[in-house]
């Protein structure tokens, strides 16, 4: 059998159809290699064999004993059954108990006189020591040597506990691993020998053996160090190769032009750029001036001035004869960007129009819901090159959209576009355009290196002058209702002082099923009853309900408007415009205001059911206030219990304004699964040992080695093993993940 094929062997050949089917359906394990990479989650120490007379309470023990008697007892009027087994070892007696469906097998096997090993946790019931549902292994008394060997193997070893499922417990997975463990010898080692020896790593077959069947705790540490490194390294090589391939693509260099649009724009800025903005702009300008496409991630706190940096990059490209496109995830956001960019540019955004500047260009908006005439004009402006800047949604990627000369694509928010979309955009340029991805969600360095590993990263961590601090407080609405009343008073005070406020709710409300006929009333009643019994079960608070309550009660007399995703774009636009103009006192909204809304006069935000939002989302929402010279206030209203993890999360948000610190907390709580997201399922399924948050040093070191290796040998011609392992990692899913950048 050749080296690769033993790992590719289907499990059903070795384990039988039934077990293989459960492993495939419930654990996503299909081949020998999959099972060998299904690592134990933890290890139980079986403890030395313990005499029955000396059993410690509440500890995991292993005993060898003889069955004295076994009997089935009925309880619960004959509906339940329990098997009680009494053991003896000469020093004392011990009771075992099995319940329900678990009684059949032991009832057949644990017959009086049989000897076996039992492992479990010691508890006390009716003043007798017992083991409930212990695992056991029968010892064949016919071969004394074999029995002794089995006892030693069973008792002295660290017992691996595998991630299991209801249909297949850890014990049976361990048996299946025993069946495939000999194949560990065929593992293809992806690490170049010099790297492996230089870092003193255990060879891969040995690491697999040690992780599944460790003799000592040091074995486990050795194995983990090696297996973590492999995961980080192979992924970083894949990303480094992708970056390298991008550097081989041609692109038009877009160099700044003296006395052009950018200079005219900078000259009319009413403030100076921060040091951070200057530094990041330089990184971007340097990239734009090269003849291969820029691929850069720009991360910065809400309000750190990312849009300003992106706009200056777009103006540079327009100066150099190209066009720039900005993609936003929603129409509301596209409209806001269009509005704020045209406002920032003034007459420079009216090129070719009456009253426009001679140096100006046209800035057009393109979204799916635009009227035909406006859409036709926008498409015409793009194809002729009349419009230097276009801002839009996915509508920009459609076939009909043609550019005169697309030079730069700015993607707002890290909604990574799939490979098809990237290709569609690339094909719109004469050569691949430069790419700038922006995110306001602070991403810990390790996640940036993993999720966005194919992009160079720039960070804006300085807030522009004039931004005010935001005070944040948790409002425990259930324990202290008067705190909530005080929160509404604070909102009223802010409005009386000439400011405005947001109230954010998780849901829109007025759901069809809640309002239609008897069924709706019944559903409402049931929901109300459930929520009285358990606040977690009640539906999240809704914009329409809260707005009504506030108009009639706590904020009566103030101008209260709503904003949510089901409104017509024109209606949304109208509300936003009036709020920005100061005609609306309080805006009750869903998270549509999370990104991009800029109203410097809004100083207070009340987030209802704050525990239903993630840490990063709360931080992002909070960034909407304190954007002017007056200090901001953010009140996190929650009915969650004081000791609950949800409340701990809110306290963390209230305690710090550092987005990077919060993103670490968020990641620790959610682990990688959510952070890498569904789109990156490929990489997720390949990270079994590595945790993105804890293994920062491993990832950073692996990235360094990967970059050096790919620079020296881009095709990995001299590293066939690494090539083989990469090919296995980059199956269809994973290729797609790497192409999302």
């Amino acid at each position: 059998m050749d080296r690769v094929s033993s790992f590719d062997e289907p499990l059903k050949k070795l384990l039988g159809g039934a077990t293989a089917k459960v492993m495939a359906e419930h654990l996503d394990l299909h081949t020998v290699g999959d099972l060998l990479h299904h690592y134990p989650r933890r290890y139980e120490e079986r403890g030395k064999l313990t005499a029955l007379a000396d059993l410690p309470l509440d500890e995991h023990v292993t005993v060898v004993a003889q069955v004295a008697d076994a009997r089935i007892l009925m309880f619960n009027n004959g509906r339940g059954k329990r098997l009680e087994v009494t053991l003896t070892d000469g020093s004392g007696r011990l009771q075992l108990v099995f319940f329900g469906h678990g009684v059949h097998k032991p009832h057949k096997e644990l017959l009086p006189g049989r000897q076996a090993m039992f492992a479990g946790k010691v508890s006390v019931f009716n003043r007798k020591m017992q083991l409930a549902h212990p695992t056991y292994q029968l010892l064949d008394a016919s071969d004394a040597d074999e029995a002794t060997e089995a006892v030693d193997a069973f008792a002295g070893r660290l017992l691996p506990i595998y991630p299991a499922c209801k249909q297949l417990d850890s014990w049976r997975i361990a048996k299946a691993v025993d069946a495939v463990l000999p194949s560990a010898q065929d593992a293809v080692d992806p690490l170049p020998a010099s790297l492996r020896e230089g870092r003193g790593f255990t060879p891969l077959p040995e690491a697999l053996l040690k992780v599944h069947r460790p003799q000592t705790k040091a074995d486990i540490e050795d194995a983990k160090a090696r297996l973590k490194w492999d995961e980080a390294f192979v992924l970083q090589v894949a990303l480094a190769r992708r970056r390298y391939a991008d550097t081989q693509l041609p692109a038009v260099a877009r160099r700044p032009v003296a006395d052009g649009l950018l200079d005219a724009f900078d000259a009319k800025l009413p403030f100076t750029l921060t040091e951070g903005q200057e530094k990041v702009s330089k990184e971007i300008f340097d990239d734009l001036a090269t003849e291969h496409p820029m691929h850069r991630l720009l991360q910065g706190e809400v309000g750190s001035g990312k849009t300003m940096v992106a706009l200056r990059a777009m103006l540079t490209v327009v100066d150099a004869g190209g066009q720039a496109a900005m993609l936003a995830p929603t129409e509301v956001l596209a409209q806001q960007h269009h509005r704020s960019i045209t406002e920032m540019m003034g007459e420079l955004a009216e090129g070719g129009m009456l009253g426009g500047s001679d140096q100006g260009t046209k800035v057009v908006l393109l979204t799916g819901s635009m009227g035909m005439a406006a859409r036709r004009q926008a498409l015409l402006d793009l194809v002729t090159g009349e419009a230097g800047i276009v801002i839009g949604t996915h509508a920009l990627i459609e076939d009909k959209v043609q550019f005169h000369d697309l030079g730069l694509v700015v993607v707002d928010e890290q909604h990574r576009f799939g490979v098809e979309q990237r290709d569609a955009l690339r094909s719109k340029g004469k050569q691949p355009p430069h790419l700038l991805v922006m995110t306001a969600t602070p991403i810990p360095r390790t996640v940036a290196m993993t999720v966005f590993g194919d992009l160079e990263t720039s960070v804006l961590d300085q807030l522009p002058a004039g931004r005010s601090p935001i005070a944040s407080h948790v409002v425990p609405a259930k324990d202290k209702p008067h705190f909530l009343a005080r929160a509404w008073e604070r909102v009223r005070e802010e409005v009386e002082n000439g400011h405005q406020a947001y109230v954010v709710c998780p849901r829109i409300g007025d759901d069809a099923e809640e309002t239609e006929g008897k069924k709706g009333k019944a559903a409402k009643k049931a929901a109300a009853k459930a929520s009285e019994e358990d606040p977690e079960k009640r539906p999240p608070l809704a914009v329409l309900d809260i707005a009504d309550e506030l108009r009639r009660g706590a904020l009566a007399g103030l101008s209260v408007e709503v904003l949510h995703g089901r409104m017509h774009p024109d209606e949304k636009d109208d509300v936003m415009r009036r709020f920005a103009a100061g005609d609306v006192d309080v805006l009750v909204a869903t998270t549509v205001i999370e990104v991009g809304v800029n109203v410097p006069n809004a100083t207070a935000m009340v987030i209802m059911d704050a525990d239903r939002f993630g840490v990063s989302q709360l931080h992002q929402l909070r960034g909407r206030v304190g954007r002017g010279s007056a200090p901001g206030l953010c009140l996190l209203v929650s009915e969650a219990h004081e000791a609950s993890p949800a409340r701990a999360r809110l306290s963390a948000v209230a305690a710090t304004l550092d987005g990077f610190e919060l993103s670490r907390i968020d990641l620790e709580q959610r682990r990688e699964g959510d952070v890498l997201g569904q789109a990156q399922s490929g990489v997720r399924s390949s990270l079994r040992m590595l945790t993105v948050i804890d293994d920062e040093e491993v990832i950073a070191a692996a990235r360094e080695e990967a970059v050096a290796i790919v620079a020296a040998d881009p095709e990995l011609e001299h590293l066939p093993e690494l090539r083989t392992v990469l090919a296995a990692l980059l199956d269809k899913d994973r290729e797609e993940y790497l192409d999302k950048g």
Side-chain angles (χ1 to χ4, degrees):
M1 190 184 297
D2 73 43
R3 300 182 63 195
V4 189
S5 62
S6 75
F7 261 50
D8 291 340
E9 188 89 39
L11 284 171
K12 63 170 172 260
K13 274 195 177 175
L14 288 162
L15 306 178
T19 306
K21 188 168 187 273
V22 172
M23 286 194 165
E25 285 175 9
H26 297 280
L27 296 169
D28 196 22
L29 305 174
H30 306 273
T31 63
V32 167
D34 289 344
L35 183 52
L36 284 173
H37 289 301
H38 187 69
Y39 306 130
R41 196 174 49 230
R42 59 188 171 84
Y43 302 85
E44 285 286 3
E45 292 186 67
R46 277 238 158 101
K48 294 296 163 211
L49 287 177
T50 318
L52 296 188
D54 311 325
L55 289 179
L57 200 57
D58 275 347
E59 275 190 29
H60 201 91
V61 299
T62 302
V63 296
V64 170
Q66 197 167 28
V67 177
D69 71 68
R71 59 189 182 281
I72 283 194
L73 303 170
M74 304 305 237
F75 61 92
N76 204 1
N77 292 332
R79 285 199 297 276
K81 55 169 76 169
R82 128 174 133 246
L83 170 66
E84 285 187 358
V85 179
T86 306
L87 302 180
T88 175
D89 70 347
S91 75
R93 292 168 87 78
L94 175 67
Q95 194 166 20
L96 312 180
V97 60
F98 299 87
F99 293 99
H101 298 303
V103 307
H104 306 305
K105 188 167 176 261
H107 189 222
K108 276 195 232 149
E109 294 182 336
L110 299 176
L111 305 171
R114 290 299 297 265
Q115 199 181 32
M117 281 179 293
F118 303 88
K121 201 170 184 186
V122 184
S123 57
V124 170
F125 181 70
N126 275 349
R127 292 204 295 248
K128 280 186 190 164
M129 289 217 169
Q130 72 165 28
L131 299 182
H133 278 285
T135 47
Y136 63 87
Q137 191 169 327
L138 296 169
L139 300 172
D140 191 346
S142 61
D143 183 344
D145 288 348
E146 203 177 294
T148 311
E149 211 172 285
V151 170
D152 289 347
F154 185 90
R157 197 188 291 154
L158 288 156
L159 174 70
I161 305 295
Y162 286 91
C165 59
K166 201 165 74 183
Q167 296 77 1
L168 199 64
D169 59 25
S170 171
W171 181 273
R172 280 165 63 206
I173 294 172
K175 279 204 153 144
V177 169
D178 283 337
V180 301
L181 214 45
S183 299
Q185 293 311 316
D186 302 328
V188 177
D189 196 328
L191 296 193
S194 57
L195 194 158
R196 190 175 65 241
E197 286 151 19
R199 290 185 175 267
F201 285 131
T202 304
L204 186 54
E206 194 184 314
L208 288 169
L209 216 56
K210 281 179 169 177
V211 80
H212 289 293
R213 298 294 172 261
Q215 300 299 314
T216 62
K217 287 182 178 172
D219 282 356
I220 299 171
E221 291 315 306
D222 266 10
K224 280 186 169 177
R226 168 67 216 252
L227 297 167
K228 272 182 183 182
W229 179 273
D230 280 19
E231 287 178 7
F233 176 71
V234 172
L235 180 62
Q236 290 301 334
V237 168
L239 292 165
R241 288 187 74 192
R242 168 135 205 109
R243 286 195 303 275
Y244 179 83
D246 284 337
T247 65
Q248 302 310 296
L249 290 169
V252 178
R254 312 282 179 175
R255 297 185 180 87
V257 171
D259 300 326
L261 196 52
L262 178 64
D263 284 352
F265 174 75
D266 283 351
K268 62 194 268 313
L269 273 183
F271 51 81
T272 53
L273 297 174
T274 65
E275 250 174 75
Q277 286 173 319
E278 293 277 16
K279 179 175 146 284
V280 170
S281 289
K282 184 180 181 324
E283 290 170 351
I284 292 170
F285 291 160
D286 289 349
D287 281 358
L288 290 173
T290 60
E291 290 179 352
H292 59 79
M294 162 172 82
H295 280 101
R296 191 166 280 281
L297 171 69
L298 170 57
Q299 27 170 344
E301 289 281 14
V302 169
S304 57
K306 290 183 304 300
T307 311
M308 171 64 68
V309 168
L311 176 55
R312 294 181 76 242
M314 294 197 282
L315 295 176
T316 301
V317 169
V318 175
D319 273 344
Q323 290 167 295
M326 182 184 243
L327 268 120
T330 64
E331 293 212 353
V332 168
L333 198 50
Q335 287 161 347
Q336 281 161 18
H337 276 315
H338 181 253
R339 192 179 313 123
S340 65
I341 282 174
T342 47
E343 276 167 14
M344 282 197 266
M345 287 176 65
E347 75 278 6
L348 295 173
E350 295 163 0
M353 293 153 79
L354 208 60
S357 159
D358 295 345
Q359 284 168 310
T361 186
K362 236 184 187 181
V363 178
V364 301
L365 176 68
L366 189 63
T367 63
S369 66
M370 278 168 80
M372 274 314 292
R375 190 178 169 75
R376 204 172 290 124
Q377 184 59 53
L379 291 171
L380 187 66
D381 287 342
L382 287 179
V383 77
T384 58
E386 189 80 13
I389 294 176
V390 58
I391 294 151
T393 53
H394 280 68
L396 281 179
I397 297 172
E398 289 169 13
D399 289 348
K400 291 194 281 288
V401 181
Q402 295 299 322
F403 289 84
H404 177 64
D405 179 11
L406 180 61
L408 169 68
V409 176
V410 178
V411 179
D412 186 34
E413 273 317 295
Q414 80 278 22
H415 302 270
R416 296 163 63 105
F417 289 91
V419 63
E420 311 80 24
Q421 291 152 316
R422 179 195 272 193
D423 285 347
L425 263 175
R426 274 190 171 158
S427 66
K428 291 184 182 298
K430 291 175 181 158
Q431 288 186 321
H434 297 281
L435 176 72
L436 181 65
V437 179
M438 302 197 297
T439 174
T441 309
I443 304 166
R445 180 165 158 260
T446 42
V447 179
M449 282 193 290
T450 314
V451 184
F452 295 100
D454 49 350
L455 302 174
E456 299 301 330
T457 304
S458 294
V459 178
L460 273 176
D461 47 13
Q462 216 182 347
L463 288 186
R467 287 300 302 261
S468 302
I470 305 167
S472 305
H473 304 284
V474 179
V475 178
K478 198 172 174 64
D479 314 343
K480 302 183 176 165
H482 60 286
F483 275 38
L484 183 57
R486 175 72 189 117
W488 300 126
E489 278 172 25
R490 283 291 291 112
V491 169
R492 199 177 263 286
E493 285 163 17
E494 288 297 313
V495 172
E496 280 164 6
N497 287 330
H499 298 302
Q500 292 158 279
Y502 296 101
V503 177
V504 181
C505 305
R507 208 164 55 98
I508 297 172
D510 193 16
D511 304 344
E513 73 273 12
E514 277 185 26
T515 51
E516 278 174 23
K518 285 180 188 169
K519 255 190 185 170
K521 282 180 186 156
K524 226 168 186 176
K525 231 176 184 175
K529 187 171 185 303
S531 68
E532 269 171 41
E533 290 162 21
D534 180 1
E536 289 297 302
K537 289 208 179 106
R538 71 162 169 75
L541 295 171
V543 166
L544 300 174
D545 303 343
I546 293 290
D548 274 352
E549 272 176 44
L550 292 176
R551 286 184 191 118
R552 289 199 308 269
L555 301 182
L558 301 185
S559 151
V560 177
E561 293 273 4
V562 298
L563 180 72
H564 57 75
R566 281 211 304 260
M567 290 162 64
H568 186 276
D570 292 347
E571 211 183 334
K572 280 192 268 202
D573 222 30
D574 177 55
V575 170
M576 239 7 270
R577 226 182 264 282
R578 287 188 294 114
F579 186 63
D583 301 338
V584 173
D585 298 324
V586 178
L587 187 62
V588 184
T590 54
T591 54
V592 292
I593 60 141
E594 181 179 355
V595 279
V597 181
N598 187 16
V599 180
N601 192 44
T603 53
M605 177 177 285
V606 180
I607 303 179
M608 307 303 291
D609 274 343
D611 45 279
R612 312 251 180 155
F613 298 96
V615 169
S616 296
Q617 199 172 25
L618 290 169
H619 179 59
Q620 198 123 336
L621 284 165
R622 166 172 66 185
R624 299 288 122 217
V625 295
R627 298 176 77 89
S629 51
L633 172 68
C634 178
L635 302 173
L636 306 165
V637 179
S638 166
E639 288 189 6
H641 189 271
E642 195 168 357
S644 66
R647 274 286 286 281
R649 217 168 51 230
L650 296 183
S651 301
V653 175
T656 176
L657 289 173
D658 181 341
F660 285 92
E661 176 54 32
L662 287 173
S663 69
R664 277 196 83 88
I665 293 168
D666 199 14
L667 193 50
E668 273 161 11
Q669 289 184 335
R670 297 192 297 157
R671 305 312 293 178
E672 300 62 55
D674 294 348
V675 176
L676 301 189
Q678 282 311 308
Q680 288 90 23
S681 62
V683 70
R684 209 166 83 218
S685 51
S686 70
L687 297 187
R688 296 170 191 272
M689 186 65 83
L690 192 74
T691 53
V692 173
I693 191 73
D694 301 326
D695 296 316
E696 187 161 342
E697 282 154 29
V698 176
I699 293 170
R703 179 176 169 121
E704 221 168 277
E705 294 278 11
V707 168
I709 280 167
V710 171
D713 182 3
E715 294 305 313
L716 308 178
E717 283 168 19
H718 305 297
L719 299 168
E721 290 85 1
L722 178 53
R723 247 200 351 261
T724 302
V725 173
L726 261 182
L729 169 76
L730 299 185
D731 59 23
K732 194 165 173 301
D733 274 2
R734 298 168 170 103
E735 269 290 16
E736 222 166 77
Y737 152 70
L738 288 171
D739 273 330
K740 293 258 194 264

